[in-house]
Amino acid sequence: TQLLEQSPQFLSIQEGENLTVYCNSSSVFSSLQWYRQEPGEGPVLLVTVVTGGEVKKLKRLTFQFGDARKDSSLHITAAQPGDTGLYLCAGGPGGYQKVTFGTGTKLQVIP
Amino acid sequence: DSGVTQTPKHLITATGQRVTLRCSPRSGDLSVYWYQQSLDQGLQFLIQYYNGEERAKGNILERFSAQQFPDLHSELNLSSLELGDSALYFCASSRDRQSSYNSPLHFGNGTRLTVT
């Protein structure tokens, strides 16, 4: 069974601060996805990374896939209240195989 | 709008009862996934269907069952409900094709089940 551990579990920061969320596993994934979930809604895909060492940027969010494809990080620059939510990483072996979701990081950005 | 429709949005029922949650996947998606999310927790995978057939099973209780119909919509049946079954139940759909990496999941807005 592939397991994904996220850290930290909770994060409360002031608007304008930077933060990094980590997603780690002992398993190799063919790809890794990051989702954000807001209260009362389903998770929404932010990005998919597929190549070891890959870095993708989405405005103030930077996603990195580890060289060995076992881990990933999400860095947010100058966090804003609109970034508040539950961040979930998810990895899978590819194709029709199911993805496994991480334990989640709950982020609160205080104005 | 993800294109995935879940009904009902809210469901309140008593212990011992049975309920059915419904999901219509995004147009063109053949895979449907069901997840359970308890308060402030991550997503627990229940079951996956692909084009009408069960593809993968997670920690789904024997009291729970699901199916995917020929029109690709899916239903999750929860029976002999207990207080601990109160949670958000999400359905997600995916294109899922033969590929080296997993297709993204598109989630509905969930059904909030409250068992009293």
Side-chain angles (χ1 to χ4, degrees):
Chain A
T1 303
Q2 297 177 313
L3 295 173
L4 282 165
E5 294 285 338
Q6 286 185 239
S7 60
Q9 203 172 354
F10 299 99
L11 196 52
S12 182
I13 61 172
Q14 294 291 327
E15 181 176 357
E17 292 184 3
N18 302 332
L19 66 117
T20 302
V21 175
Y22 299 93
C23 173
N24 294 293
S25 175
S26 57
S27 303
V28 175
F29 293 99
S30 68
S31 65
L32 208 135
Q33 301 162 358
W34 284 93
Y35 294 80
R36 179 170 68 212
Q37 183 181 19
E38 298 186 24
E41 298 181 7
V44 175
L45 179 73
L46 295 173
V47 78
T48 300
V49 285
V50 300
T51 306
E54 181 177 3
V55 176
K56 274 192 175 176
K57 289 196 172 185
L58 189 67
K59 296 183 181 177
R60 294 176 294 99
L61 279 59
T62 302
F63 304 85
Q64 184 160 12
F65 201 10
D67 290 339
R69 304 208 317 275
K70 291 183 178 181
D71 56 84
S72 181
S73 64
L74 157 60
H75 182 79
I76 301 179
T77 304
Q80 298 178 2
D83 296 326
T84 293
L86 178 67
Y87 288 81
L88 296 158
C89 63
Y96 303 104
Q97 304 302 312
K98 72 172 182 72
V99 299
T100 299
F101 276 84
T103 47
T105 294
K106 191 168 185 181
L107 170 66
Q108 181 186 33
V109 182
I110 302 165
Chain B
D1 182 11
S2 69
V4 178
T5 304
Q6 285 189 252
T7 56
K9 199 165 182 175
H10 300 278
L11 202 48
I12 302 174
T13 189
T15 54
Q17 294 298 306
R18 172 191 167 97
V19 296
T20 297
L21 313 184
R22 183 188 167 100
C23 170
S24 292
R26 205 174 60 132
S27 177
D29 286 356
L30 298 179
S31 273
V32 168
Y33 300 76
W34 286 98
Y35 290 88
Q36 181 191 57
Q37 186 176 43
S38 300
L39 190 62
D40 280 345
Q41 292 193 8
L43 292 165
Q44 300 298 316
F45 170 70
L46 296 177
I47 198 163
Q48 175 201 0
Y49 282 84
Y50 177 80
N51 203 21
E53 293 191 6
E54 184 183 302
R55 176 75 69 166
K57 219 168 186 176
N59 295 327
I60 186 167
L61 300 172
E62 285 192 14
R63 301 183 285 109
F64 295 2
S65 65
Q67 54 184 326
Q68 186 180 27
F69 295 87
D71 67 352
L72 301 177
H73 91 270
S74 179
E75 291 180 357
L76 178 67
N77 300 296
L78 315 176
S79 62
S80 303
L81 285 167
E82 302 174 0
L83 294 177
D85 297 328
S86 295
L88 264 170
Y89 290 84
F90 285 103
C91 165
S93 73
S94 176
R95 198 114 329 187
D96 276 350
R97 60 195 187 282
Q98 192 60 42
S99 169
S100 59
Y101 61 91
N102 291 87
S103 299
L105 296 180
H106 300 271
F107 284 83
N109 280 333
T111 293
R112 182 175 293 280
L113 174 67
T114 303
V115 183
T116 62

